[in-house]
Amino acid sequence: MMQGLQNILLIYVLRCLGQIVHGSDIINGKKAPENSMQYVVSVQNIDGHICGGFLVTEDFVVTAAHCDVENPTHVVLGSHNIKKAV
């Protein structure tokens, strides 16, 4: 019973957060300096970039669940411009 209530609360909180983030915009954004995002990865397959993620340990990347749908084959780590890395 308690597990079910926890799951419902979690789903509710995630939906609320999704609504807040969905409408957000980047205001006065600037390009990040080169080599400033060493832990950001581009998850890719043979067609190129699928989605992003970040390196947690030497052999572990955290990314969104939908990234697995496109059958990723590799990641590009720390590249400032993924178009050049492909």
Side-chain angles (χ1 to χ4, degrees), residues 30 44 52 65:
K30 297 177 183 161
Q44 300 183 357

Side-chain angles (χ1 to χ4, degrees), residues 3-58:
Q3 182 70 26
L5 291 174
Q6 289 174 340
N7 288 341
I8 290 171
L9 180 61
L10 177 63
I11 290 169
Y12 178 75
V13 169
L14 291 175
R15 285 191 67 204
C16 290
L17 290 173
Q19 290 174 356
I20 293 169
V21 173
H22 182 69
S24 65
D25 293 321
I26 297 174
I27 301 171
N28 298 325
K30 297 177 183 161
K31 286 187 178 183
E34 285 199 37
N35 300 320
S36 66
M37 307 220 284
Q38 294 295 312
Y39 300 100
V40 176
V41 302
S42 169
V43 179
Q44 300 183 357
N45 63 15
I46 59 171
D47 296 323
H49 178 79
I50 299 170
C51 59
F54 63 93
L55 188 68
V56 177
T57 64
E58 185 176 312

